[in-house]
């Protein structure tokens, strides 16, 4: 595991965008695994800037997102499809048909899970997967207790995850109770993984990730079995690790 400790959120975002830019330069038709949440927003901003400065070309690139809420239309302002369009895709020259996100508005959820795993296997697996981390160690929407052998599946969101995401919705009742997420095994298929964490809120999770053993009760710990994992964390998220070490 490589660990990069950045001074703050901005430096963390710059370090991540630089690694992604290098990947695109090396392989213009690369497949990027992308994430939502507040954490990668700064990375997307940096990537948009580098695109505008002519340092990256997305024409041949594909992206595969980790997850999507069940029941939200892609046009819904809190859907992850909308998030990606608004915060990244609309600003770069990517072909929208090469951007993959699970479709959460379907009746055939099981079928959608199988279709998506096939996308991962045929379009992907990603050359580089970007990840955030939940306070309880979730990655994508893989909650504690998820099997390390899981592929794309439906999850019932825990109360804590719904609460953490409630800030984006008008009320707690509006937060979906289910989601489609790439499983742990699906995520592990990626050739390279970058996990980002910023702020004190994530300090316990980062401490557990670095010091703990792989354990299904802490989904992010599965990544310790990956041979190309880079953590990019800021000083606040790294605080507890330093105290212990
Ligand atoms: C959501 C997403 C995760 C994300 C997590 C942390 O649950 N499904 O992919 O990593 O939130 O979000 P944030 O980056 O806003 O702290």
């Amino acid at each position: 595991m490589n660990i990069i400790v950045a001074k703050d959120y901005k430096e963390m975002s710059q370090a991540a965008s630089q690694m992604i830019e290098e990947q695109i330069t090396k392989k213009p038709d690369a497949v990027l695994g992308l994430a939502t949440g507040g954490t990668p927003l700064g990375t997307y901003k940096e990537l948009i800037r580098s695109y505008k400065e002519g340092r990256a070309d997305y024409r041949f690139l594909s992206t595969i997102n980790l997850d999507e809420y069940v029941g939200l239309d892609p046009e819904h302002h809190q859907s992850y499809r909308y998030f990606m369009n608004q915060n990244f895709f609309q600003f770069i020259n990517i072909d929208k048909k090469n951007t993959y996100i699970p479709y959460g508005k379907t009746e055939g959820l099981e079928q959608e899970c199988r279709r998506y795993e096939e996308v991962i296997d045929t379009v992907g697996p990603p050359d580089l997967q970007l990840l955030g981390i939940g306070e309880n160690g979730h990655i994508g929407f893989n909650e504690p207790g998820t099997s390390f052998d899981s592929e794309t599946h439906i999850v019932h969101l825990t109360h804590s995850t719904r609460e953490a995401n409630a800030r984006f919705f008008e009320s707690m009742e509006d937060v979906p109770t289910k989601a489609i997420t790439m499983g742990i095994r699906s995520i592990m298929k990626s050739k390279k993984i970058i996990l980002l964490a910023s702020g004190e809120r994530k300090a316990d999770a980062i401490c557990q990730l670095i010091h703990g053993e792989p354990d299904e009760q802490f989904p992010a710990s599965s990544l310790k079995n990956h041979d190309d994992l880079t953590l990019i964390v800021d000083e606040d998220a790294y605080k507890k690790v330093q105290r212990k070490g």
Side-chain angles (χ1 to χ4, degrees):
M1 181 192 324
N2 306 316
I3 304 178
I4 299 173
V5 183
K7 188 162 65 68
D8 52 21
Y9 180 75
K10 192 173 168 62
E11 275 195 8
M12 177 200 75
S13 305
Q14 284 167 339
S17 84
Q18 208 177 323
M19 282 178 76
I20 295 170
E21 209 182 294
E22 280 163 17
Q23 175 67 64
I24 301 172
T25 307
K26 200 166 76 188
K27 190 176 171 195
D29 61 348
V31 179
L32 298 181
L34 298 180
T36 52
T39 310
L41 272 179
T43 305
Y44 297 143
K45 282 212 177 85
E46 292 294 331
L47 287 171
I48 292 164
R49 188 149 61 115
S50 89
Y51 168 71
K52 287 189 174 149
E53 289 168 1
R55 286 187 278 125
D57 184 356
Y58 291 83
R59 248 180 317 165
F60 306 114
L61 213 94
S62 303
T63 62
I64 300 181
N65 261 75
L66 283 169
D67 47 14
E68 178 60 286
Y69 288 115
V70 165
L72 298 192
D73 192 87
E75 301 298 317
H76 189 289
H77 286 200
Q78 308 310 337
S79 78
Y80 284 168
R81 161 56 77 184
Y82 187 85
F83 176 103
M84 290 309 299
N85 288 347
Q86 286 299 108
N87 293 303
F88 193 32
F89 298 152
Q90 67 161 326
F91 298 107
I92 56 172
N93 66 337
I94 196 159
D95 186 339
K96 281 268 182 66
K97 73 171 168 24
N98 295 332
T99 64
Y100 298 87
I101 299 182
Y103 182 64
K105 189 74 181 165
T106 173
E107 296 291 306
L109 287 172
E110 289 304 327
Q111 200 183 335
E112 174 60 10
C113 292
R114 283 196 298 277
R115 181 195 73 86
Y116 205 68
E117 196 63 36
E118 234 172 87
V119 167
I120 297 163
D121 288 335
T122 53
V123 177
D127 294 287
L128 187 159
Q129 173 71 55
L130 191 64
L131 289 178
I133 182 170
E135 287 165 51
N136 62 1
H138 76 250
I139 49 174
F141 268 131
N142 293 285
E143 299 283 15
T146 306
S147 164
F148 283 0
D149 283 333
S150 53
E151 297 199 320
T152 304
H153 62 287
I154 305 296
V155 283
H156 288 87
L157 301 176
T158 62
H159 187 69
S160 77
T161 297
R162 291 183 67 233
E163 250 178 356
N165 289 334
R167 65 190 193 274
F168 300 111
F169 292 82
E170 273 183 15
S171 73
M172 185 68 183
E173 290 79 72
D174 292 332
V175 186
T177 54
K178 285 194 281 186
I180 301 184
T181 184
M182 273 166 67
I184 302 283
R185 195 217 297 262
S186 339
I187 293 171
M188 291 288 282
K189 288 176 184 174
S190 291
K191 293 172 198 149
K192 188 181 192 66
I193 296 179
I194 299 177
L195 184 139
L196 303 178
S198 165
E200 250 182 287
R201 214 159 49 84
K202 302 292 171 70
D204 284 325
I206 291 305
C207 183
Q208 189 168 345
L209 175 58
I210 291 175
H211 295 299
E213 294 295 318
D215 176 354
E216 288 185 349
Q217 290 309 320
F218 191 75
S221 64
S222 57
L223 304 173
K224 296 187 100 163
N225 296 326
H226 197 281
D227 59 13
D228 194 347
L229 168 67
T230 300
L231 301 189
I232 310 180
V233 298
D234 67 10
E235 285 175 3
D236 284 343
Y238 196 66
K239 253 183 194 158
K240 301 221 168 156
V241 177
Q242 282 166 323
R243 261 183 222 145
K244 222 175 159 175

